[in-house]
């Protein structure tokens, strides 16, 4: 069975500092991993994904994520946070079988203070 | 995302009423999904459809039904609404030819059942 965990309900970071939003996963096959962002009163927007290849994936708005197979993690990172990065972030996973569905984490609220 | 639209955006109804939420997409995607979002629980899959003749239950389908009227339209019905169905509902689409099944979300429908 697939599962994904976001251990932090909220992450607080000062503007200009690096940020990390954590995600760990469990799948039976090879993982496909995603990060989505949700701004207030909006739907989820795709940020980035890992399918195969380089463990460091670069996405929208300067975000990147590192796939770590041994730790079954896919943490979202950004070198220098902006106040506009404040939003709700969701990690998601599916395995590589054609019938597999995406499972979303519970979300982490990122708050960037000026 | 204007490519995926949901109507209505907000709805307040009473217990026992029948409610239909509609989703339309212009992305040409074959796969469509309905999720509900509750605080602290992330997104949970209600129903999904991989093509017009394919309807599948998700993890929380009880109390809901769906109809895939055309490739571009996927509606969600609550036959007899109850207060614990108060939530934010999202429609999403994806394309089966993509390896990873990246999903594209509508803006959401906020449903309140009194």
């Amino acid at each position: 069975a697939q599962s994904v965990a976001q251990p932090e309900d909220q992450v607080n970071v000062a503007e200009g500092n690096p940020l990390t939003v954590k995600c760990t996963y469990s799948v039976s096959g090879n993982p496909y991993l995603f990060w989505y962002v949700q701004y207030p009163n909006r739907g989820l927007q795709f940020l980035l994904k890992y399918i195969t290849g380089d463990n460091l994936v670069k996405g929208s708005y300067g975000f990147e994520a590192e796939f770590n197979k041994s730790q079954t993690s896919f943490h979202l990172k950004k070198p220098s946070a902006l106040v506009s990065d404040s939003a709700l972030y969701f990690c998601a996973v599916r395995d590589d079988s054609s019938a597999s569905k995406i499972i979303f984490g519970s979300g982490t609220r990122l708050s960037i203070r000026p | 995302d204007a490519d995926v639209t949901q109507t209505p955006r907000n709805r307040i109804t009473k217990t026992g009423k029948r409610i239909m939420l509609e989703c339309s997409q212009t992305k040409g995607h074959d796969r469509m999904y309905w999720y509900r979002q509750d605080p602290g629980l992330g997104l949970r899959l209600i129903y999904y459809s991989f093509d017009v003749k394919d309807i599948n239950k998700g993890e929380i389908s009880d109390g809901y039904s769906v109809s895939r009227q055309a490739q571009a339209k996927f509606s969600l019905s609550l036959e007899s609404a109850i207060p614990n169905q108060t939530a934010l509902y999202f429609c999403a689409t994806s394309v089966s030819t993509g390896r990873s099944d990246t999903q594209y979300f509508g803006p959401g429908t906020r449903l309140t059942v009194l």
Side-chain angles (χ1 to χ4, degrees), chain B:
Chain B
D1 189 334
D3 295 326
V4 184
T5 58
Q6 293 183 233
T7 55
R9 293 293 312 277
N10 290 282
R11 181 72 182 267
I12 300 174
T13 190
K14 294 182 179 180
T15 297
K17 294 292 187 180
R18 184 178 187 274
I19 296 296
M20 180 180 287
L21 309 182
E22 300 192 11
C23 176
S24 295
Q25 53 116 346
T26 58
K27 300 185 77 68
H29 289 173
D30 50 350
R31 297 182 173 188
M32 298 187 74
Y33 310 79
W34 275 105
Y35 294 90
R36 66 177 278 176
Q37 182 181 18
D38 299 277
L41 294 177
L43 271 72
R44 292 182 291 167
L45 183 62
I46 306 172
Y47 271 95
Y48 63 102
S49 170
F50 281 178
D51 64 43
V52 175
K53 297 181 180 180
D54 176 78
I55 302 289
N56 303 281
K57 292 183 177 181
E59 57 184 307
I60 54 162
S61 58
D62 288 349
Y64 302 94
S65 62
V66 292
S67 173
R68 185 85 183 265
Q69 302 96 320
Q71 187 189 43
K73 296 184 182 295
F74 192 37
S75 60
L76 176 72
S77 294
L78 288 68
E79 297 300 326
S80 179
I82 57 177
N84 76 2
Q85 291 178 312
T86 293
L88 191 52
Y89 290 84
F90 288 104
C91 174
T93 73
S94 68
V95 60
S96 60
T97 54
R99 285 184 62 192
S100 63
D101 214 17
T102 301
Q103 301 197 351
Y104 298 86
F105 285 81
T109 295
R110 186 169 297 280
L111 177 66
T112 303
V113 183
L114 302 177

